[in-house]
Structures are given as C-alpha cells and as structure tokens.
Amino acid sequence: MKMLQLKYSVVLLVVLMLVTTVTAFAQESDPPPRKVVLSTNPILFIFTWYGLELEFAASQRATIGVQGTYFQMDDQTEDDDPLDLVYEDTYTVLNAFIRYYPTASFKGFFIGAKGGIYNIKHESESTKEEGTAYGLGVDIGYGWLLGETERISVSIGVGASRLFGGDLDDDDEDDVLVVIPSVRLINVGIAF
C-alpha cells in the first residue's frame, strides 16, 4: 500500500510542478505569433512507429500538448517464419507534456517533461499478456518554424520515459522495456 501511495504522490507532484510552471509562463504579456503545431514523424512510419503530436503555446516560451504513439518491437528466428516468433511487444502510448523554449515557443532549443499511460501487449512462444503502466520522462530537442509566414514546423530531438505502476510488476519488467525511448528523427507539421 505504501508503494502505491508513493507512486500517486510522485504523479501528483509532477502535475503540480507542471501547473505551476504553465501558470508562471502564462503571465507573460506578448502572445506568440503561432498558437498550435500539429506534427508527425514520417520517417518512423517505415519502422511501424506511428506518432501524432498536438502542441499549444501556453506563453511566449512554454508549450503544453498531447502525443499519441504506437509501435511494435519483435524478434523472430533467423528464417523469418512467422510461426517461429520469439517475442512481439506492442506499445500504445498517450502522453501529456510541457516544454520550455528559451528563445520563443516552437523555435530553437527546448527541454520538456512528460507523463502518460502506456498499454503494453507482450506475446512470445509461450505467453500472451497485456497490461497498462504509467510513465514519466523528459525530452530535449530543437525546433524551427519555416517559410515566410512560419507555417511549417520542423523539429528534432530525443528523450525517454520510465514505466512504473499499473499492471507492470517485477515479473513483467523482465519481459518488456521499462525505459521507452522517444525519437524525433524529423517531426514535420503545420503551425496555426
């Protein structure tokens, strides 16, 4: 019971920090020229790693948003026979995030924090399991608004999330990834 209370306390602390940060940044006077960016990473589609991100300017230098991701990781024996599956993990992710841009929202270097829910399906030769976990993580990257009207958004970056709680117990940690990378090879989007 104490472990569950600790996990909820950590989540509550992160939420309070995010709300305080957004409130502080929202008190800046000048509104940013672009309010919303909708983006995806088309290069990762080749690797069956799908993602969509919606980011809102909370102030001149801070943004908040949501991102959804779906990807699979699997391993098969060398003959690629689908019946010889060693394992297959499927991750469906929904994250909320906050980012700080020292220059201006959506432009330049950024650092951010995120938290979300991860649905994990693990299938191997002998087992088939599904569970939900929570994740907290960080991202760093760099963003550009391109064009004369700054309508095209391009960003790169990396990050990771650590999974905990939910249906994820000590036995599951041996079967699935508990540190999930987030990769922004090149996110391309539209700024409104």
Side-chain angles (χ1 to χ4, degrees):
M1 187 66 167
K2 288 185 179 188
M3 187 61 154
L4 183 62
Q5 289 175 339
L6 177 64
K7 290 175 184 177
Y8 285 125
S9 297
V10 169
V11 170
L12 180 61
L13 180 63
V14 169
V15 169
L16 288 174
M17 288 173 36
L18 294 176
V19 168
T20 305
T21 305
V22 169
T23 303
F25 287 124
Q27 295 176 1
E28 295 177 8
S29 58
D30 297 332
R34 296 286 167 237
K35 307 274 190 219
V36 179
V37 169
L38 178 64
S39 66
T40 189
N41 193 328
I43 293 174
L44 288 179
F45 286 179
I46 298 168
F47 302 102
T48 64
W49 190 310
Y50 307 104
L52 187 64
E53 183 174 283
L54 186 59
E55 187 174 7
F56 301 92
S59 73
Q60 280 286 76
R61 293 185 179 89
T63 63
I64 57 173
V66 293
Q67 59 188 187
T69 308
Y70 172 86
F71 65 97
Q72 288 182 327
M73 303 182 80
D74 59 25
D75 186 22
Q76 295 179 338
T77 56
E78 292 182 17
D79 61 2
D80 289 331
D81 182 353
L83 299 176
D84 294 337
L85 181 68
V86 176
Y87 76 87
E88 178 178 85
D89 293 339
T90 304
Y91 293 81
T92 307
V93 181
L94 181 62
N95 273 321
F97 64 84
I98 182 169
R99 291 187 182 137
Y100 175 69
Y101 293 80
T103 308
S105 293
F106 312 119
K107 296 180 183 178
F109 172 80
F110 68 81
I111 186 164
K114 61 184 174 180
I117 298 174
Y118 293 70
N119 179 270
I120 306 161
K121 295 178 184 174
H122 174 75
E123 185 177 346
S124 67
E125 296 171 343
S126 59
T127 62
K128 192 173 193 177
E129 301 172 310
E130 182 174 356
T132 301
Y134 306 103
L136 293 174
V138 295
D139 284 320
I140 60 170
Y142 200 91
W144 297 268
L145 289 178
L146 305 176
E148 191 173 314
T149 58
E150 296 186 332
R151 292 274 185 203
I152 299 187
S153 169
V154 175
S155 63
I156 59 174
V158 296
S161 291
R162 172 79 167 133
L163 301 187
F164 62 93
D167 299 329
L168 188 67
D169 58 30
D170 292 337
D171 296 335
D172 293 332
E173 290 184 10
D174 296 334
D175 297 334
V176 298
L177 288 176
V178 292
V179 177
I180 306 295
S182 51
V183 182
R184 299 173 72 83
L185 289 179
I186 293 188
N187 261 36
V188 179
I190 299 174
F192 301 99

